[in-house]
Amino acid sequence: MPANSFDPANDIPDLSGKVILVTGGTAGLGANSVRELAKHSPAHIYITGRNAKSADTLIQEVAASGSKTRVSFITCDLASLESVRRAADEFRAKETRLDILLCSAGIMATDPGLTADGYEVQFGTNHLGHALLIQKLLSVMQHTVTLSGGSDVRIILVTSLGFKFHPCDGISFDTLKTTQEGFMGSWVRYGQSKLANLLYARELSRRYPDITSVSVHPGVVNTGLVENLSKARQAFVWATSFHNMVTPAEGIKNQLWAATSPKAGVENGAFYEPVGVLGGLDKMAGDDGLAVRLWDWTDAVLEGF
């Protein structure tokens, strides 16, 4: 089956026994992914986010669909490392396995701001929050690899072709504790955070080769990420991407393909465009030295959590 013909309804295999965690699982691509995954009988899907009411609505919807999959909500604000730590601890208190970690949450082209920990808000949310969650759950995922003679365990980081908006140095480490304002600043900050997602997935694959870690671009999807932008930023998205805009139903295909298609067809550490197509990298995205620097910088920031 060619990857670009991937149909979630027919091509996601039976997921019986698997435990899945989806960040941003209460809305947008995350919630739509949960709906599709639940049709294939995983043992348990955990969703994270800040909106308990939306989570409850989705949980009831999955139950009403006839799915036997249990869906549970864990409160997690990716812009607060303490909140991420608590969420990871809550998951580890409940589970001893994790087969798929789908890092789908994110923010895009926001106004200048800082996270609760004082980092540029898009970088702190899109990269640092996910990095801490991954680091806190790696031991569970490594344990899962050992089950039944080597389980298929995956980490999917949702990035974007918007990574190409990154600053000239790729990641401006020296100013990450500022709002990093400047010309086209909201998009440059977004690109920097999405570049970090891509680089981190590749470095994860190098350091933890028994876990399949990839980054994926979902396409330009008309979800709340676009709808919540300012009018000017919405106009920019529509002007540059109108001919490529896809529905949420299309937008989830790449991450679901990466999470569930046969392992042999997924290259560890790769970046994929829709659907299952190896994506092109610019100089910074292909810089292994920058990936190592990001890993080391991230470890230093997360020390103590």
Side-chain angles (χ1 to χ4, degrees), residues 185-206:
S186 62
W187 292 107
V188 173
R189 296 188 298 272
Y190 177 67
Q192 176 179 246
S193 71
K194 294 289 100 178
L195 174 64
N197 291 152
L198 189 157
L199 293 172
Y200 206 69
R202 191 161 76 245
E203 193 62 13
L204 272 167
S205 74
R206 189 178 73 83

Side-chain angles (χ1 to χ4, degrees), residues 192-243:
Q192 176 179 246
S193 71
K194 294 289 100 178
L195 174 64
N197 291 152
L198 189 157
L199 293 172
Y200 206 69
R202 191 161 76 245
E203 193 62 13
L204 272 167
S205 74
R206 189 178 73 83
R207 293 173 186 256
Y208 299 92
D210 290 338
I211 297 173
T212 301
S213 300
V214 298
S215 58
V216 298
H217 169 54
V220 183
V221 189
N222 191 16
T223 65
L225 278 184
V226 175
E227 294 169 357
N228 293 332
L229 293 174
S230 68
K231 295 299 183 184
R233 291 170 191 157
Q234 284 188 40
F236 177 78
V237 171
W238 282 96
T240 57
S241 307
F242 176 75
H243 60 295

Side-chain angles (χ1 to χ4, degrees), residues 34 92 99 156 165 207 218 228 241 295-296:
V34 170
R92 293 193 303 177
D99 299 87
I156 313 301
F165 289 126
R207 293 173 186 256
N228 293 332
S241 307
W295 185 276
D296 292 342

